[in-house]
Amino acid sequence: MKPRRRTIFLTLVSGALAVVAALASGRAIAQEPEKDLKVPAPPIPPGLQWFNSQPLTMEQLRGKVVLIDFWEYTCVNCIRTFPYLREWHEKYKEKGLVIIGVHTPEFKFAKKAANVEKGAKEFGLTWPLINDADFVVWRAYGNRYWPAKYLLDHEGNVRYYHFGEGGYGNTEAQIQRLLKLANPSVTLPPLGDVIRGTDKPGAVCYPVTPELYLGHERGTHEQTLANTEGYQPGKSVAYKDPGKWEDGMVYFSGRWQNNAEAMVSTRPSPKLQDYLAIKYHALEVNAVMRPESGKPVKVFVTHDGKPVGKQDKGGDIKYDPQGRSYLLVDQPKMYHIIKNAKFGQRTLKLAAADAGMGIYTFTFVSCEVAKDASK
């Protein structure tokens, strides 16, 4: 299966890691690299901010198997790998494995150390973490994907890589192979089973609406905005909803500020006339959102024109006394809006009751556990 991943918009210069530069022909997204891969890893640049650890160097890590994990705390594909990383950390930290999470930001607010640290705590990431705010480690590896994992042997060579979700069994097998190479007498536990049912063979994964970026920088490039007013960078624009929605496009109504990374509500909207709408096909819907003024923003959500049903609610949906479904956008993060009971094409509307609701991107999830036909 082709790995699901978020690709960076800007073209980055290839780094010192020769294997990635050499894989520009397309081998870089292979599920399994060559058996004989052995390339010296670049040094960890000095002067970076670390969490959960003092700064480490490649020299200090000699003798250890190191898993370099590139992640971003708003990235749904990264978030879905965290249960496996937590399990590997607990199983192998006393056996010689060191995980180093490299947080490289997709959005400007994700450069802020306090946001990274809060995200790491909320997701239970207790291993050493680097705040790679200026893409220093990213460029050193010539990396292009979130998430991306590079396994280093005890001599500091890259021996394996994996981009995107999936491949957990193979990655753990490679961890064990390198631990045995470092210490032939080490006693290792059995390989773990998959943690999520949707990662098991036979899970059903449907085609989904592609990720939708809403700021003018990405939105213009990917042509996601359907309003005839179009993007007007840096301006506050009054939009009129054309009323007929197509899957994979974004529709705005009311006045919205056009920022590079996000569209931002500009005024109180007691009648909820300032909204955005999409038609999509997926099982789950997430959105990266931020309270731009620092004050919480209430965002009312309707699903097929009605409050979100309890059977379809995501983890961040709340209900007011009138039974209306809403999100409280009180921090910059990915909000889990919809978890549909059944796959299908649906409509979603987000109406900002207040000024300062910034919306950056929608992401979609498609897999479910296969239903037993005998039941």
Side-chain angles (χ1 to χ4, degrees):
M1 180 189 297
K2 192 174 183 180
R4 287 175 292 180
R5 60 194 183 277
R6 298 169 95 175
T7 55
I8 190 167
F9 178 54
L10 300 176
T11 300
L12 297 175
V13 178
S14 294
L17 190 57
V19 60
V20 175
L23 296 178
S25 63
R27 292 170 8 214
I29 59 173
Q31 291 288 338
E32 295 186 37
E34 297 89 335
K35 301 286 186 184
D36 60 350
L37 178 65
K38 190 174 183 180
V39 179
I44 300 173
L48 299 173
Q49 185 174 24
W50 288 70
F51 304 111
N52 303 333
S53 171
Q54 293 296 316
L56 299 172
T57 66
M58 292 305 299
E59 289 72 23
Q60 290 172 311
L61 292 166
R62 289 288 187 268
K64 301 288 187 179
V65 174
V66 181
L67 173 56
I68 302 290
D69 175 54
F70 286 92
W71 66 290
E72 211 264 18
Y73 85 93
T74 72
C75 166
V76 64
N77 304 117
C78 302
I79 292 168
R80 287 169 58 82
T81 69
F82 293 161
Y84 293 93
L85 287 165
R86 288 193 295 265
E87 182 174 270
W88 297 338
H89 176 63
E90 289 304 315
K91 287 174 70 173
Y92 300 116
K93 64 183 178 181
E94 303 299 331
K95 306 291 185 179
L97 176 70
V98 177
I99 299 176
I100 297 179
V102 181
H103 184 276
T104 311
E106 183 166 13
F107 305 108
K108 289 181 180 178
F109 66 75
K111 292 184 175 185
K112 190 174 180 180
N115 291 338
V116 179
E117 188 170 24
K118 185 174 183 179
K121 287 180 179 178
E122 289 180 351
F123 290 118
L125 312 185
T126 58
W127 45 87
L129 302 172
I130 297 172
N131 183 19
D132 189 29
D134 296 317
F135 287 75
V136 177
V137 185
W138 178 285
R139 285 193 294 269
Y141 274 78
N143 190 51
R144 296 175 56 205
Y145 304 100
W146 291 281
K149 294 170 175 58
Y150 299 84
L151 265 178
L152 282 54
D153 66 17
H154 62 290
E155 296 178 340
N157 299 302
V158 176
R159 304 297 297 270
Y160 171 86
Y161 59 87
H162 183 90
F163 301 148
E165 295 183 41
Y168 304 113
N170 190 48
T171 300
E172 185 177 5
Q174 294 295 328
I175 291 171
Q176 291 205 356
R177 179 177 72 89
L178 295 182
L179 288 172
K180 278 284 189 183
L181 189 65
N183 178 11
S185 64
V186 68
T187 302
L188 298 174
L191 292 174
D193 197 0
V194 294
I195 295 173
R196 277 188 302 268
T198 53
D199 294 326
K200 292 182 178 180
V204 179
C205 294
Y206 304 97
V208 295
T209 299
E211 184 168 4
L212 300 174
Y213 288 88
L214 304 185
H216 68 75
E217 186 175 73
R218 290 290 298 262
T220 299
H221 175 76
E222 299 182 5
Q223 299 181 331
T224 54
L225 179 61
N227 296 80
T228 57
E229 296 86 358
Y231 282 112
Q232 299 179 38
K235 295 183 179 180
S236 174
V237 180
Y239 288 101
K240 183 178 180 180
D241 182 355
K244 186 177 181 181
W245 303 339
E246 296 182 12
D247 198 312
M249 304 296 290
V250 184
Y251 300 81
F252 282 88
S253 177
R255 186 164 288 278
W256 293 82
Q257 174 69 26
N258 286 218
N259 289 349
E261 294 185 335
M263 294 287 270
V264 183
S265 62
T266 63
R267 61 186 181 181
S269 178
K271 295 184 179 180
L272 304 181
Q273 70 271 26
D274 292 357
Y275 65 81
L276 67 147
I278 61 171
K279 179 180 282 188
Y280 73 92
H281 56 286
L283 281 165
E284 298 184 38
V285 184
N286 309 290
V288 176
M289 305 171 74
R290 176 177 182 251
E292 301 295 321
S293 66
K295 298 179 181 179
V297 179
K298 185 173 281 190
V299 180
F300 287 92
V301 182
T302 55
H303 202 213
D304 292 338
K306 301 175 182 179
V308 179
K310 298 291 180 67
Q311 73 279 6
D312 294 329
K313 69 181 290 293
D316 289 306
I317 287 287
K318 306 176 185 296
Y319 296 92
D320 69 7
Q322 291 75 44
R324 297 181 298 178
S325 47
Y326 71 93
L327 300 165
L328 186 64
V329 179
D330 57 358
Q331 59 180 302
K333 70 169 192 173
M334 187 196 78
Y335 289 82
H336 186 206
I337 305 173
I338 298 295
K339 187 173 183 178
N340 286 313
K342 293 176 62 178
F343 177 83
Q345 189 175 64
R346 313 288 293 271
T347 62
L348 185 67
K349 183 189 288 186
L350 276 58
D354 308 295
M357 186 273 277
I359 182 157
Y360 291 70
T361 182
F362 283 105
T363 57
F364 305 92
V365 177
S366 70
C367 296
E368 66 178 352
V369 178
K371 295 179 175 59
D372 188 342
S374 66
K375 293 183 180 180

